[in-house]
Amino acid sequence: MSITRKGEFSVLHRHAPRHHPRHQPRHARPSDAHRWWALVVIATAQLMVVLDATIVNIALPSAQRALHMSDANRQWVITAYTLAFGGLLLLGGRISDLVGRKRTFVIGLVGFAAASAFGGAATSSGMLFGARALQGAFAAVLAPAALSLLTTTFTDPRERGKAFGIYGALAGSGSAIGFILGGLLTEYLDWRWCLYVNVPIAAVAVLGAFALLRDRPAHTGVRLDVPGAVLGCGGLVAVVYGFSEAQPRGWTDPLVLGLFAAGVVMLAAFVWWQNRAPVPLLPLHVLRERNRAGCLLTMLLAVIGMFGLFLFMTYYLQEILGYSPLRTGLAFLPLTAAIVVGSTQISARLLQHVAPRALMVPGMLLAAAGLLLLTRLTVTSRYPTEVLPALLLLGLGMGLTFMPVFATATAGVAPKDSGVTSATVNTAQQVGGSIGTALLNTVAISSSTAYLTAHLRSPADRGRVVPEGVVHGYTVAIWWAAAVMLLAGLVAGLMVTARAPKHTPAPEAVPESVV
């Protein structure tokens, strides 16, 4: 997740407008020291948003036991956050332009901290789900404001390159930091501290924002597409809720079918409204270009498998292999390292010389191969020989794919559409994660239940059969994830026909705002 963000930042930086500071009034430019301290504040806020997607994964088994969540509902701890984040990200960018970037940044920080404290104090699963949704909503406000502040604080090309490099490195390390910090807090304090920890981080960032950040006046002409946000986010929630209810109720249950139907109708209404809205949340002409549409669909499908894997592997390592939360967090680090290597050392070096799909298709094949290795898991599998190779293959494959997806999806767009295009790729990522977590969790639980029904013949067998049934459910879901990953490779191969960037005319410029 975080590496895709890093890719976005590099793309935005590469095509950002080159305003030299000598063209600005002397008094309008903050001092060098203030600018770099402002970068610390902005990057800290973005790091908090990024690591929150993984820090809670490690704490989820402990939170499930404490709040008595069902296996079917546990995925809402993840999907409530990603759905709100992805569904409201485009609206968040518009709010930033309307209210002002610094003010929106502070509002996002305060709201995120309050939602985190609310979640940490949760006494029921519903309270935690609501807190996670609030976190996602405020993250959708905070993230575009942070990126916009960065682009307006650093206008010199040399300074901007260094600033985006630092910002991208911190954001890119967010998932790794989240895994380790989540393990430490859960093991030595309590799972609730995986949420409470955001409060002091946000407090420091708020104080730094008031002291160091400068802003331009808000754009009074900006209009918010609230109906579009309601239809789009509401349709996604209905679909994901339908997936989560399919396990306890069955796929043909009237409520499940009704939720799917409502989701499809609302998403169709969203598309209809975007063609007619005075200021659409998502200008549909952005999606009509073949390469961009292929990249967005590839991203959505690829992330379905990866987010679902995070959930299963967390439970497999802790509940089946008996790993501590900290050891579980450390076990995920090779995956993050492989994503970094695939993205920065392979894709970034080859992207100028080969067509994007020449990286994306092999990337998806590698990722699918890693998932297929994990379909062989048993209750006695060993991490070094059976889990680690699969994580490395998956990470390399995702790293190969992420960078060309962002570079190709954001290339060649009109300046006024560059921000919304970048945000749309992020939205595809979050939506894919939401759908994948809900769908694969339902598949895993249904398969486990069917296995237990067929093999549990006496109470004496329970200690052996139940773990086997749980692992069986995970492997069936991972088969599905591998199939979706192969579909992503097929989409990339057929739809993304762009040539190598060095053979393509460079786009003119990108605006400062993320949306």
Side-chain angles (χ1 to χ4, degrees):
M1 172 177 165
S2 52
I3 297 302
T4 61
R5 293 184 185 283
K6 185 175 179 181
E8 175 188 358
F9 302 148
S10 65
V11 171
L12 285 174
H13 160 59
R14 189 162 58 248
H15 304 303
R18 305 298 180 96
H19 300 307
H20 197 279
R22 69 169 176 263
H23 296 151
Q24 301 175 16
R26 182 80 180 171
H27 62 79
R29 293 164 49 210
S31 69
D32 288 343
H34 275 189
R35 284 203 301 279
W36 293 108
W37 279 110
L39 172 63
V40 173
V41 172
I42 296 168
T44 299
Q46 179 64 22
L47 178 64
M48 180 179 67
V49 171
V50 172
L51 68 82
D52 216 68
T54 54
I55 191 173
V56 175
N57 264 287
I58 304 300
L60 187 51
S62 299
Q64 182 179 0
R65 288 191 296 269
L67 299 181
H68 309 292
M69 297 179 209
S70 68
D71 287 343
N73 286 335
R74 68 189 179 192
Q75 53 87 18
W76 282 107
V77 177
I78 309 299
T79 54
Y81 180 82
T82 54
L83 264 179
F85 192 6
L88 299 175
L89 185 61
L90 293 168
L91 185 66
R94 299 292 189 198
I95 292 173
S96 177
D97 289 336
L98 177 64
V99 177
R101 293 155 183 168
K102 177 179 175 179
R103 187 179 301 173
T104 304
F105 183 79
V106 171
I107 292 171
L109 283 169
V110 172
F112 197 90
S116 299
F118 184 61
T123 56
S124 67
S125 58
M127 187 174 172
L128 180 58
F129 301 156
R132 290 288 286 165
L134 283 174
Q135 277 187 308
F138 282 108
V141 171
L142 178 59
L147 186 56
S148 296
L149 284 167
L150 187 67
T151 61
T152 55
T153 300
F154 293 91
T155 53
D156 180 87
R158 290 168 296 180
E159 285 190 345
R160 176 172 286 202
K162 186 184 296 184
F164 270 84
I166 296 171
Y167 186 70
L170 283 172
S173 62
S175 61
I177 295 173
F179 285 132
I180 297 173
L181 188 58
L184 285 169
L185 293 173
T186 303
E187 186 164 344
Y188 294 108
L189 291 175
D190 187 76
W191 68 267
R192 297 178 185 277
W193 279 96
C194 291
L195 294 161
Y196 285 143
V197 71
N198 292 321
V199 177
I201 295 175
V204 171
V206 167
L207 293 176
F210 281 122
L212 299 167
L213 297 183
R214 305 291 182 266
D215 194 12
R216 296 180 180 180
H219 302 295
T220 55
V222 174
R223 298 177 63 179
L224 299 180
D225 182 15
V226 176
V230 171
L231 289 171
C233 198
L236 292 172
V237 170
V239 170
V240 171
Y241 189 33
F243 283 134
S244 68
E245 288 296 312
Q247 189 277 321
R249 295 175 178 270
W251 291 95
T252 57
D253 182 82
L255 176 62
V256 174
L257 295 177
L259 286 168
F260 286 143
V264 170
V265 168
M266 292 183 76
L267 291 174
F270 170 78
V271 173
W272 174 84
W273 173 249
Q274 294 308 286
N275 273 319
R276 290 158 178 77
V279 183
L281 194 64
L282 176 60
L284 294 182
H285 66 265
V286 168
L287 305 180
R288 293 191 180 109
E289 202 272 325
R290 175 175 179 161
N291 290 298
R292 190 169 303 116
C295 286
L296 292 172
L297 186 54
T298 299
M299 173 64 81
L300 186 145
L301 292 171
V303 175
I304 284 177
M306 192 174 75
F307 269 60
L309 182 74
F310 283 163
L311 179 67
F312 301 141
M313 290 310 300
T314 297
Y315 277 87
Y316 177 78
L317 293 171
Q318 291 191 40
E319 303 294 327
I320 303 300
L321 298 188
Y323 279 26
S324 68
L326 177 57
R327 191 179 179 188
T328 301
L330 293 173
F332 276 110
L333 290 188
L335 172 66
T336 302
I339 293 176
V340 173
V341 170
S343 181
T344 63
Q345 301 304 310
I346 302 177
S347 275
R349 294 175 184 272
L350 296 178
L351 186 57
Q352 294 299 314
H353 307 286
V354 301
R357 66 178 172 183
L359 294 169
M360 295 162 64
V361 174
M364 289 294 90
L365 292 176
L366 277 176
L371 290 172
L372 289 173
L373 285 180
L374 290 175
T375 62
R376 302 169 60 191
L377 288 178
T378 67
V379 293
T380 58
S381 293
R382 297 174 59 85
Y383 177 84
T385 57
E386 294 169 83
V387 177
L388 179 59
L391 294 182
L392 291 175
L393 283 174
L394 177 64
L396 280 174
M398 298 304 285
L400 280 173
T401 304
F402 284 157
M403 186 69 76
V405 162
F406 266 100
T408 307
T410 55
V413 298
K416 64 184 179 65
D417 293 327
S418 297
V420 73
T421 302
S422 296
T424 302
V425 182
N426 263 326
T427 298
Q429 179 185 357
Q430 300 298 330
V431 169
S434 303
I435 294 173
T437 303
L439 171 61
L440 296 180
N441 186 63
T442 294
V443 170
I445 297 169
S446 300
S447 300
S448 294
T449 302
Y451 185 94
L452 294 177
T453 302
H455 294 83
L456 189 58
R457 310 194 187 284
S458 69
D461 295 334
R462 189 170 185 83
R464 173 183 59 84
V465 175
V466 170
E468 290 177 353
V470 170
V471 175
H472 173 76
Y474 294 164
T475 57
V476 171
I478 293 172
W479 273 108
W480 279 60
V484 174
M485 205 72 79
L486 290 173
L487 179 59
L490 181 63
V491 168
L494 294 178
M495 293 186 65
V496 183
T497 58
R499 296 178 296 171
K502 71 176 182 179
H503 300 307
T504 305
E508 295 181 4
V510 195
E512 295 166 349
S513 175
V514 74
V515 206

